[in-house]
Amino acid sequence: DVRTELRTLTPGPDGWQDTALAGGPEFGSADGQYLKPGQSGQSGSSLPQPTARPCPFGRCRTPGTGHFPGMVDKDDTATIEAVGRVTEALEKIERARGHLYSFHQLTGSADLALGDAVKQLEKAGHEDWARRISEELVGLNVLPDRWTFQVVEEYDDGYYKACRDLERELLADLTDGRRHLYEQQMKADRRTIGRPGHEKGSPSTPSAGA
């Protein structure tokens, strides 16, 4: 039974301070329960609702709203959710890009396998089939004028770059560059505070290349 003192965030001279409350194990009631935000223990104590959680970084204009760093002038849940949807879209584009690279590598491997088949057909005495596959299939463009490496480069330099760059501009403008504020808020609301394996961890950070 892991027990530490119940704590809260209170205003101080250097911003919001982590302060102990009287009585009870960590973030729970005197009976030692682990609590979700807003959940009450048997003794009647409870954690504040997520909407009443102060900004842990002390950067919001209005304390007690659960807002995130970088949201000083745009500290609303709607903004966090909207930016989160854009990031979700980019993550799906990243997955699509991965499939495109799989297409690139598998097609290249298939072309090499056809080259091996040509040699085996020649050895087996099927010169006509070997010639047809060699001339008609080996080295064939997968799209007009393009091998797969050209498809990948066009995608990377066009659609992918446009989506990635715009998402980074959006994050820089609305979330101070932080990439996963929506998920950070979700983790704060869903984890069981005080329970091993449910630690808060580090906040969302800007991209290293931003």
Side-chain angles (χ1 to χ4, degrees), residues 15-183:
W16 290 87
Q17 306 295 318
D18 188 15
T19 306
L21 293 178
E26 187 205 358
F27 293 108
S29 60
D31 47 45
Q33 299 179 83
Y34 295 114
L35 299 178
K36 298 285 188 182
Q39 181 182 4
S40 296
Q42 295 176 4
S43 64
S45 62
S46 66
L47 292 177
Q49 293 288 345
T51 53
R53 185 174 56 255
C55 170
F57 306 95
R59 293 183 54 184
C60 297
R61 287 183 306 173
T62 309
T65 58
H67 300 148
F68 294 91
M71 304 300 291
V72 177
D73 296 320
K74 309 172 185 66
D75 49 0
D76 60 282
T77 301
T79 297
I80 295 174
E81 291 179 351
V83 172
R85 287 292 282 175
V86 175
T87 297
E88 178 187 357
L90 182 64
E91 289 173 354
K92 290 179 178 179
I93 290 168
E94 294 281 8
R95 291 176 61 192
R97 182 170 178 252
H99 288 301
L100 183 61
Y101 273 83
S102 294
F103 160 72
H104 163 55
Q105 294 184 341
L106 289 171
T107 302
S109 296
D111 191 69
L112 294 176
L114 286 172
D116 293 338
V118 167
K119 296 176 183 177
Q120 292 173 345
L121 285 167
E122 287 175 340
K123 286 184 178 180
H126 304 291
E127 289 83 1
D128 288 343
W129 280 112
R131 178 182 53 79
R132 285 196 61 187
I133 292 174
S134 177
E135 293 178 358
E136 297 178 28
L137 292 183
V138 173
L140 179 67
N141 287 326
V142 296
L143 291 173
D145 304 323
R146 298 174 183 85
W147 269 24
T148 56
F149 78 88
Q150 293 163 308
V151 176
V152 166
E153 289 183 0
E154 286 187 29
Y155 180 85
D156 277 352
D157 297 341
Y159 182 81
Y160 173 72
K161 183 178 185 299
C163 295
R164 182 197 62 194
D165 291 351
L166 195 144
E167 191 253 3
R168 286 183 177 178
E169 289 183 32
L170 179 75
L171 293 179
D173 183 44
L174 299 183
T175 69
D176 207 22
R178 288 166 173 82
R179 294 165 287 176
H180 293 97
L181 289 187
Y182 180 77
E183 288 85 349

